[in-house]
Amino acid sequence: MTGALESLLVRRIALGGPISVATFMADALGHPDHGYYITRDPLGRTGDFTTAPEISQMFGEMVGIWLADCWLRLGAPSPFTLVELGPGRGTLMADALRATARVPGFHAALRLALVETSPALRQRQAAALHGFSPNWYDRLGDVPDGPMLLVANEFFDALPIRQFIRLPRGWGERMVGLDDSGKLTFTVAPGGVGLLDPSLYDPRIAPGAVAELCPVGIGIAGEIGARLAAHPGAALIIDYGYCGPAIGDTLQALRAHKPVPVLDGPGTADLTAHVDFTALGRAATEAGGRCHPAAGGAVNQGDLLTALGIAARATALKARATPKQAADIETALARLTAPDQMGTLFKAIALTSPGLDAPAGFAPRETP
Ligand SMILES: C[S@@+](CC[C@H](N)C(=O)[O-])C[C@H]1O[C@@H](n2cnc3c(N)ncnc32)[C@H](O)[C@@H]1O
C-alpha cells in the first residue's frame, strides 16, 4: 500500500520533475504532517534505532563532565546558554545535568535551550528535563545570543544530504524520479555540479562513484562558528562519519533496527548519512571559530570517552551493582568504546571560541 507521503512525493515529481536526494530526505524526515521524526519517538528497542545515551548513562555523564570543564576553562560565564541540537528523549542532557549537579554555580548559570523539530520528542524531553525549565527552538538561529555551550549527538547524520554520481565526464546529481510504473526510483541529472572538493575531479575516479554534501549541516556548523567567534563558548559534535573529502554512498534507511531500501515507504523509516567532520570543522573555522583537532581530523569516540574517565566511572558503578548489572555495565562500556563497536566508527570534533585551547579529550597528546 502506498503511504500518504509517498503519494504526495509521486504527485509532486509527476508534476514538477525529479527532486534532489536532499529534498527527498528533508520531506521523509521532517514533512510537517508525515515526516518520520514529526510523527513518532523512533528510539530504543521497540523503535528503529538506539543511540549512545540510550545504551548507558555513562555516555551523558562523560558529556556533562566535558561541558562543565569547558565552562570552568571559559571563566564560568553566568548566565550562559546550554544548547542541545536534536536531544532525542532528553536522556543525554538528563545524565549530563545529574553528573554536573555538584559543580558549584554551573546549574544556576545555565539556561537550557533545546533545538528540536519533533513534537513527539519534545514531549519526551519535557518529561526528562522538567526540573531545568528548557526552552524549545525550531532552529539554532532562534536561540538567543551570548556565551554558549553546545552538544549535538547523532544530530548531523539526520540532516539532508545531496548525492553526486561520477559520470564518464564530471559529476551529475543523484535525483529521485519515477519509473515506468510510477514508483519512486533514483535517476541522475547530468552536469554542472561545481560544489565538490577539487580533489573529486580527479580523472582516476571511476564512473558510478558517489560523493556526498550536507549543505544544511555545513550551514549549522558555520552558524556555531560565528556564535563562538562573537561570544565565549564551546561545542561538542559526536556522530558516525569520516574526515572528507571521500567517495562512498552512506545514505541508509533503518526500520526496526534492520536496513531497508532508501526509497521504501518515505516517512516510515529512519534515514541517515555519515557526517563529513572535515567539512563541518572547515565551515566553523571559516566563520571565525576554532576546530579541535585542527586540520581536518576528528577524535574517535572511544578515545574521547576514555580520556574523560569512562572506565573509572564504570568501575564506580559496578562497585554498587548486582552481578547482572555489573555485566551490563561492562557490555555497555565495550559497546561505546571498543574499536569493533562504536569506538572508532563514531567520532567527535570540538568547536571553540578562538582564544580557547583544546578542551578535554582533544589536546594533541590525547589524540591518537
Ligand atoms: C538520531 S536522533 C538523536 C537523538 C539524541 N541526540 C540521542 O543521541 O539519543 C536525531 C534527533 O534530531 C532531531 N532532529 C532531526 N532533524 C532535525 C532538525 N532539522 N532540526 C532539529 N532537530 C532535528 C530528531 O527529532 C531527534 O531528536
PDB file of all heavy atoms in Angstrom, residues 141-167:
ATOM      1  N   GLY A 141      19.336  29.250  14.896  1.00  0.00           N
ATOM      2  CA  GLY A 141      19.261  30.689  14.669  1.00  0.00           C
ATOM      3  C   GLY A 141      18.278  31.398  15.596  1.00  0.00           C
ATOM      4  O   GLY A 141      18.397  32.602  15.826  1.00  0.00           O
ATOM      5  N   ASP A 142      17.313  30.667  16.159  1.00  0.00           N
ATOM      6  CA  ASP A 142      16.319  31.282  17.052  1.00  0.00           C
ATOM      7  C   ASP A 142      16.802  31.358  18.510  1.00  0.00           C
ATOM      8  O   ASP A 142      16.177  32.020  19.339  1.00  0.00           O
ATOM      9  CB  ASP A 142      15.008  30.477  17.025  1.00  0.00           C
ATOM     10  CG  ASP A 142      14.369  30.471  15.651  1.00  0.00           C
ATOM     11  OD1 ASP A 142      14.687  31.391  14.851  1.00  0.00           O
ATOM     12  OD2 ASP A 142      13.561  29.565  15.359  1.00  0.00           O
ATOM     13  N   VAL A 143      17.878  30.643  18.840  1.00  0.00           N
ATOM     14  CA  VAL A 143      18.384  30.626  20.227  1.00  0.00           C
ATOM     15  C   VAL A 143      19.062  31.975  20.505  1.00  0.00           C
ATOM     16  O   VAL A 143      19.859  32.439  19.685  1.00  0.00           O
ATOM     17  CB  VAL A 143      19.397  29.461  20.410  1.00  0.00           C
ATOM     18  CG1 VAL A 143      20.021  29.497  21.798  1.00  0.00           C
ATOM     19  CG2 VAL A 143      18.718  28.121  20.144  1.00  0.00           C
ATOM     20  N   PRO A 144      18.746  32.607  21.658  1.00  0.00           N
ATOM     21  CA  PRO A 144      19.353  33.916  21.940  1.00  0.00           C
ATOM     22  C   PRO A 144      20.885  33.847  21.951  1.00  0.00           C
ATOM     23  O   PRO A 144      21.471  32.845  22.346  1.00  0.00           O
ATOM     24  CB  PRO A 144      18.825  34.268  23.341  1.00  0.00           C
ATOM     25  CG  PRO A 144      17.604  33.426  23.523  1.00  0.00           C
ATOM     26  CD  PRO A 144      17.796  32.185  22.705  1.00  0.00           C
ATOM     27  N   ASP A 145      21.518  34.946  21.530  1.00  0.00           N
ATOM     28  CA  ASP A 145      22.986  35.065  21.501  1.00  0.00           C
ATOM     29  C   ASP A 145      23.565  35.113  22.899  1.00  0.00           C
ATOM     30  O   ASP A 145      22.853  35.416  23.846  1.00  0.00           O
ATOM     31  CB  ASP A 145      23.352  36.395  20.810  1.00  0.00           C
ATOM     32  CG  ASP A 145      23.624  36.179  19.348  1.00  0.00           C
ATOM     33  OD1 ASP A 145      23.779  35.014  18.948  1.00  0.00           O
ATOM     34  OD2 ASP A 145      23.693  37.185  18.613  1.00  0.00           O
ATOM     35  N   GLY A 146      24.877  34.888  23.009  1.00  0.00           N
ATOM     36  CA  GLY A 146      25.560  35.022  24.294  1.00  0.00           C
ATOM     37  C   GLY A 146      26.511  33.872  24.509  1.00  0.00           C
ATOM     38  O   GLY A 146      26.660  33.014  23.626  1.00  0.00           O
ATOM     39  N   PRO A 147      27.171  33.827  25.675  1.00  0.00           N
ATOM     40  CA  PRO A 147      28.054  32.686  25.976  1.00  0.00           C
ATOM     41  C   PRO A 147      27.282  31.381  25.829  1.00  0.00           C
ATOM     42  O   PRO A 147      26.116  31.307  26.230  1.00  0.00           O
ATOM     43  CB  PRO A 147      28.468  32.933  27.431  1.00  0.00           C
ATOM     44  CG  PRO A 147      28.275  34.397  27.645  1.00  0.00           C
ATOM     45  CD  PRO A 147      27.136  34.809  26.776  1.00  0.00           C
ATOM     46  N   MET A 148      27.934  30.377  25.236  1.00  0.00           N
ATOM     47  CA  MET A 148      27.178  29.171  24.861  1.00  0.00           C
ATOM     48  C   MET A 148      28.041  27.915  24.996  1.00  0.00           C
ATOM     49  O   MET A 148      29.204  27.894  24.612  1.00  0.00           O
ATOM     50  CB  MET A 148      26.735  29.320  23.397  1.00  0.00           C
ATOM     51  CG  MET A 148      26.104  28.079  22.800  1.00  0.00           C
ATOM     52  SD  MET A 148      25.706  28.297  21.042  1.00  0.00           S
ATOM     53  CE  MET A 148      27.282  27.892  20.275  1.00  0.00           C
ATOM     54  N   LEU A 149      27.440  26.874  25.547  1.00  0.00           N
ATOM     55  CA  LEU A 149      27.994  25.526  25.417  1.00  0.00           C
ATOM     56  C   LEU A 149      26.968  24.723  24.646  1.00  0.00           C
ATOM     57  O   LEU A 149      25.760  24.857  24.891  1.00  0.00           O
ATOM     58  CB  LEU A 149      28.256  24.900  26.787  1.00  0.00           C
ATOM     59  CG  LEU A 149      29.408  25.527  27.577  1.00  0.00           C
ATOM     60  CD1 LEU A 149      29.454  24.965  28.988  1.00  0.00           C
ATOM     61  CD2 LEU A 149      30.743  25.277  26.870  1.00  0.00           C
ATOM     62  N   LEU A 150      27.433  23.898  23.707  1.00  0.00           N
ATOM     63  CA  LEU A 150      26.500  23.197  22.818  1.00  0.00           C
ATOM     64  C   LEU A 150      26.935  21.742  22.680  1.00  0.00           C
ATOM     65  O   LEU A 150      28.126  21.444  22.617  1.00  0.00           O
ATOM     66  CB  LEU A 150      26.486  23.902  21.457  1.00  0.00           C
ATOM     67  CG  LEU A 150      25.605  23.328  20.342  1.00  0.00           C
ATOM     68  CD1 LEU A 150      25.090  24.451  19.440  1.00  0.00           C
ATOM     69  CD2 LEU A 150      26.332  22.283  19.502  1.00  0.00           C
ATOM     70  N   VAL A 151      25.950  20.860  22.603  1.00  0.00           N
ATOM     71  CA  VAL A 151      26.258  19.459  22.313  1.00  0.00           C
ATOM     72  C   VAL A 151      25.291  18.952  21.245  1.00  0.00           C
ATOM     73  O   VAL A 151      24.109  19.347  21.219  1.00  0.00           O
ATOM     74  CB  VAL A 151      26.215  18.596  23.594  1.00  0.00           C
ATOM     75  CG1 VAL A 151      24.856  18.605  24.256  1.00  0.00           C
ATOM     76  CG2 VAL A 151      26.646  17.166  23.301  1.00  0.00           C
ATOM     77  N   ALA A 152      25.809  18.112  20.352  1.00  0.00           N
ATOM     78  CA  ALA A 152      24.982  17.507  19.302  1.00  0.00           C
ATOM     79  C   ALA A 152      25.455  16.071  19.120  1.00  0.00           C
ATOM     80  O   ALA A 152      26.574  15.837  18.651  1.00  0.00           O
ATOM     81  CB  ALA A 152      25.126  18.278  17.995  1.00  0.00           C
ATOM     82  N   ASN A 153      24.635  15.107  19.542  1.00  0.00           N
ATOM     83  CA  ASN A 153      24.976  13.698  19.334  1.00  0.00           C
ATOM     84  C   ASN A 153      24.000  13.096  18.334  1.00  0.00           C
ATOM     85  O   ASN A 153      22.775  13.161  18.541  1.00  0.00           O
ATOM     86  CB  ASN A 153      24.895  12.921  20.654  1.00  0.00           C
ATOM     87  CG  ASN A 153      25.326  11.480  20.469  1.00  0.00           C
ATOM     88  OD1 ASN A 153      26.482  11.208  20.134  1.00  0.00           O
ATOM     89  ND2 ASN A 153      24.398  10.550  20.660  1.00  0.00           N
ATOM     90  N   GLU A 154      24.528  12.525  17.279  1.00  0.00           N
ATOM     91  CA  GLU A 154      23.694  11.928  16.219  1.00  0.00           C
ATOM     92  C   GLU A 154      22.611  12.894  15.747  1.00  0.00           C
ATOM     93  O   GLU A 154      21.459  12.511  15.576  1.00  0.00           O
ATOM     94  CB  GLU A 154      23.088  10.603  16.678  1.00  0.00           C
ATOM     95  CG  GLU A 154      24.128   9.502  16.754  1.00  0.00           C
ATOM     96  CD  GLU A 154      23.524   8.121  16.600  1.00  0.00           C
ATOM     97  OE1 GLU A 154      22.747   7.925  15.647  1.00  0.00           O
ATOM     98  OE2 GLU A 154      23.848   7.255  17.418  1.00  0.00           O
ATOM     99  N   PHE A 155      22.979  14.155  15.595  1.00  0.00           N
ATOM    100  CA  PHE A 155      22.083  15.163  15.034  1.00  0.00           C
ATOM    101  C   PHE A 155      22.437  15.401  13.567  1.00  0.00           C
ATOM    102  O   PHE A 155      21.567  15.369  12.697  1.00  0.00           O
ATOM    103  CB  PHE A 155      22.208  16.466  15.828  1.00  0.00           C
ATOM    104  CG  PHE A 155      21.574  17.653  15.153  1.00  0.00           C
ATOM    105  CD1 PHE A 155      20.192  17.799  15.135  1.00  0.00           C
ATOM    106  CD2 PHE A 155      22.354  18.626  14.530  1.00  0.00           C
ATOM    107  CE1 PHE A 155      19.603  18.893  14.505  1.00  0.00           C
ATOM    108  CE2 PHE A 155      21.777  19.718  13.902  1.00  0.00           C
ATOM    109  CZ  PHE A 155      20.388  19.849  13.890  1.00  0.00           C
ATOM    110  N   PHE A 156      23.729  15.593  13.280  1.00  0.00           N
ATOM    111  CA  PHE A 156      24.125  15.956  11.922  1.00  0.00           C
ATOM    112  C   PHE A 156      23.852  14.819  10.929  1.00  0.00           C
ATOM    113  O   PHE A 156      23.643  15.068   9.754  1.00  0.00           O
ATOM    114  CB  PHE A 156      25.606  16.382  11.894  1.00  0.00           C
ATOM    115  CG  PHE A 156      25.808  17.787  12.413  1.00  0.00           C
ATOM    116  CD1 PHE A 156      26.024  18.033  13.762  1.00  0.00           C
ATOM    117  CD2 PHE A 156      25.741  18.874  11.563  1.00  0.00           C
ATOM    118  CE1 PHE A 156      26.185  19.320  14.249  1.00  0.00           C
ATOM    119  CE2 PHE A 156      25.900  20.173  12.024  1.00  0.00           C
ATOM    120  CZ  PHE A 156      26.121  20.394  13.373  1.00  0.00           C
ATOM    121  N   ASP A 157      23.836  13.557  11.409  1.00  0.00           N
ATOM    122  CA  ASP A 157      23.590  12.446  10.470  1.00  0.00           C
ATOM    123  C   ASP A 157      22.137  12.404  10.008  1.00  0.00           C
ATOM    124  O   ASP A 157      21.791  11.684   9.074  1.00  0.00           O
ATOM    125  CB  ASP A 157      24.009  11.095  11.061  1.00  0.00           C
ATOM    126  CG  ASP A 157      23.133  10.633  12.217  1.00  0.00           C
ATOM    127  OD1 ASP A 157      21.911  10.812  12.164  1.00  0.00           O
ATOM    128  OD2 ASP A 157      23.675  10.066  13.181  1.00  0.00           O
ATOM    129  N   ALA A 158      21.270  13.170  10.681  1.00  0.00           N
ATOM    130  CA  ALA A 158      19.849  13.186  10.304  1.00  0.00           C
ATOM    131  C   ALA A 158      19.519  14.359   9.378  1.00  0.00           C
ATOM    132  O   ALA A 158      18.349  14.575   9.060  1.00  0.00           O
ATOM    133  CB  ALA A 158      18.986  13.264  11.568  1.00  0.00           C
ATOM    134  N   LEU A 159      20.531  15.117   8.970  1.00  0.00           N
ATOM    135  CA  LEU A 159      20.268  16.280   8.104  1.00  0.00           C
ATOM    136  C   LEU A 159      20.377  15.869   6.633  1.00  0.00           C
ATOM    137  O   LEU A 159      21.188  14.994   6.278  1.00  0.00           O
ATOM    138  CB  LEU A 159      21.262  17.393   8.431  1.00  0.00           C
ATOM    139  CG  LEU A 159      21.194  17.884   9.889  1.00  0.00           C
ATOM    140  CD1 LEU A 159      22.247  18.961  10.134  1.00  0.00           C
ATOM    141  CD2 LEU A 159      19.803  18.404  10.239  1.00  0.00           C
ATOM    142  N   PRO A 160      19.574  16.503   5.776  1.00  0.00           N
ATOM    143  CA  PRO A 160      19.520  16.087   4.364  1.00  0.00           C
ATOM    144  C   PRO A 160      20.851  16.267   3.637  1.00  0.00           C
ATOM    145  O   PRO A 160      21.500  17.308   3.784  1.00  0.00           O
ATOM    146  CB  PRO A 160      18.469  17.017   3.757  1.00  0.00           C
ATOM    147  CG  PRO A 160      17.810  17.710   4.883  1.00  0.00           C
ATOM    148  CD  PRO A 160      18.665  17.597   6.093  1.00  0.00           C
ATOM    149  N   ILE A 161      21.220  15.270   2.861  1.00  0.00           N
ATOM    150  CA  ILE A 161      22.442  15.367   2.037  1.00  0.00           C
ATOM    151  C   ILE A 161      22.073  15.391   0.556  1.00  0.00           C
ATOM    152  O   ILE A 161      21.047  14.845   0.149  1.00  0.00           O
ATOM    153  CB  ILE A 161      23.392  14.180   2.270  1.00  0.00           C
ATOM    154  CG1 ILE A 161      22.675  12.839   2.030  1.00  0.00           C
ATOM    155  CG2 ILE A 161      24.038  14.227   3.619  1.00  0.00           C
ATOM    156  CD1 ILE A 161      23.601  11.742   1.599  1.00  0.00           C
ATOM    157  N   ARG A 162      22.957  16.028  -0.214  1.00  0.00           N
ATOM    158  CA  ARG A 162      22.906  15.881  -1.672  1.00  0.00           C
ATOM    159  C   ARG A 162      23.895  14.784  -2.051  1.00  0.00           C
ATOM    160  O   ARG A 162      24.935  14.639  -1.426  1.00  0.00           O
ATOM    161  CB  ARG A 162      23.294  17.200  -2.359  1.00  0.00           C
ATOM    162  CG  ARG A 162      22.278  18.306  -2.104  1.00  0.00           C
ATOM    163  CD  ARG A 162      22.736  19.615  -2.710  1.00  0.00           C
ATOM    164  NE  ARG A 162      22.683  19.593  -4.178  1.00  0.00           N
ATOM    165  CZ  ARG A 162      23.083  20.617  -4.950  1.00  0.00           C
ATOM    166  NH1 ARG A 162      23.581  21.718  -4.406  1.00  0.00           N
ATOM    167  NH2 ARG A 162      22.990  20.539  -6.252  1.00  0.00           N
ATOM    168  N   GLN A 163      23.541  14.014  -3.069  1.00  0.00           N
ATOM    169  CA  GLN A 163      24.460  12.968  -3.551  1.00  0.00           C
ATOM    170  C   GLN A 163      24.829  13.243  -5.001  1.00  0.00           C
ATOM    171  O   GLN A 163      23.975  13.671  -5.790  1.00  0.00           O
ATOM    172  CB  GLN A 163      23.800  11.595  -3.460  1.00  0.00           C
ATOM    173  CG  GLN A 163      23.745  11.040  -2.048  1.00  0.00           C
ATOM    174  CD  GLN A 163      23.407   9.565  -2.037  1.00  0.00           C
ATOM    175  OE1 GLN A 163      22.520   9.133  -2.763  1.00  0.00           O
ATOM    176  NE2 GLN A 163      24.102   8.789  -1.217  1.00  0.00           N
ATOM    177  N   PHE A 164      26.079  12.984  -5.321  1.00  0.00           N
ATOM    178  CA  PHE A 164      26.581  13.210  -6.678  1.00  0.00           C
ATOM    179  C   PHE A 164      27.165  11.912  -7.221  1.00  0.00           C
ATOM    180  O   PHE A 164      27.780  11.148  -6.475  1.00  0.00           O
ATOM    181  CB  PHE A 164      27.624  14.328  -6.666  1.00  0.00           C
ATOM    182  CG  PHE A 164      27.059  15.613  -6.121  1.00  0.00           C
ATOM    183  CD1 PHE A 164      27.253  15.961  -4.790  1.00  0.00           C
ATOM    184  CD2 PHE A 164      26.278  16.427  -6.924  1.00  0.00           C
ATOM    185  CE1 PHE A 164      26.696  17.120  -4.275  1.00  0.00           C
ATOM    186  CE2 PHE A 164      25.717  17.589  -6.407  1.00  0.00           C
ATOM    187  CZ  PHE A 164      25.923  17.933  -5.086  1.00  0.00           C
ATOM    188  N   ILE A 165      26.956  11.679  -8.514  1.00  0.00           N
ATOM    189  CA  ILE A 165      27.429  10.442  -9.137  1.00  0.00           C
ATOM    190  C   ILE A 165      28.481  10.805 -10.177  1.00  0.00           C
ATOM    191  O   ILE A 165      28.259  11.702 -10.996  1.00  0.00           O
ATOM    192  CB  ILE A 165      26.284   9.727  -9.887  1.00  0.00           C
ATOM    193  CG1 ILE A 165      25.078   9.569  -8.984  1.00  0.00           C
ATOM    194  CG2 ILE A 165      26.755   8.420 -10.498  1.00  0.00           C
ATOM    195  CD1 ILE A 165      24.877   8.232  -8.398  1.00  0.00           C
ATOM    196  N   ARG A 166      29.570  10.082 -10.117  1.00  0.00           N
ATOM    197  CA  ARG A 166      30.626  10.292 -11.102  1.00  0.00           C
ATOM    198  C   ARG A 166      30.145   9.786 -12.473  1.00  0.00           C
ATOM    199  O   ARG A 166      29.696   8.635 -12.593  1.00  0.00           O
ATOM    200  CB  ARG A 166      31.869   9.515 -10.672  1.00  0.00           C
ATOM    201  CG  ARG A 166      33.018   9.645 -11.618  1.00  0.00           C
ATOM    202  CD  ARG A 166      33.640  11.007 -11.499  1.00  0.00           C
ATOM    203  NE  ARG A 166      34.648  11.196 -12.498  1.00  0.00           N
ATOM    204  CZ  ARG A 166      35.603  12.115 -12.415  1.00  0.00           C
ATOM    205  NH1 ARG A 166      35.643  12.940 -11.392  1.00  0.00           N
ATOM    206  NH2 ARG A 166      36.496  12.218 -13.353  1.00  0.00           N
ATOM    207  N   LEU A 167      30.204  10.654 -13.456  1.00  0.00           N
ATOM    208  CA  LEU A 167      29.824  10.278 -14.825  1.00  0.00           C
ATOM    209  C   LEU A 167      31.110  10.093 -15.638  1.00  0.00           C
ATOM    210  O   LEU A 167      32.187  10.455 -15.152  1.00  0.00           O
ATOM    211  CB  LEU A 167      28.955  11.383 -15.430  1.00  0.00           C
ATOM    212  CG  LEU A 167      27.680  11.708 -14.631  1.00  0.00           C
ATOM    213  CD1 LEU A 167      26.954  12.904 -15.236  1.00  0.00           C
ATOM    214  CD2 LEU A 167      26.771  10.496 -14.566  1.00  0.00           C
TER     215      LEU A 167
END
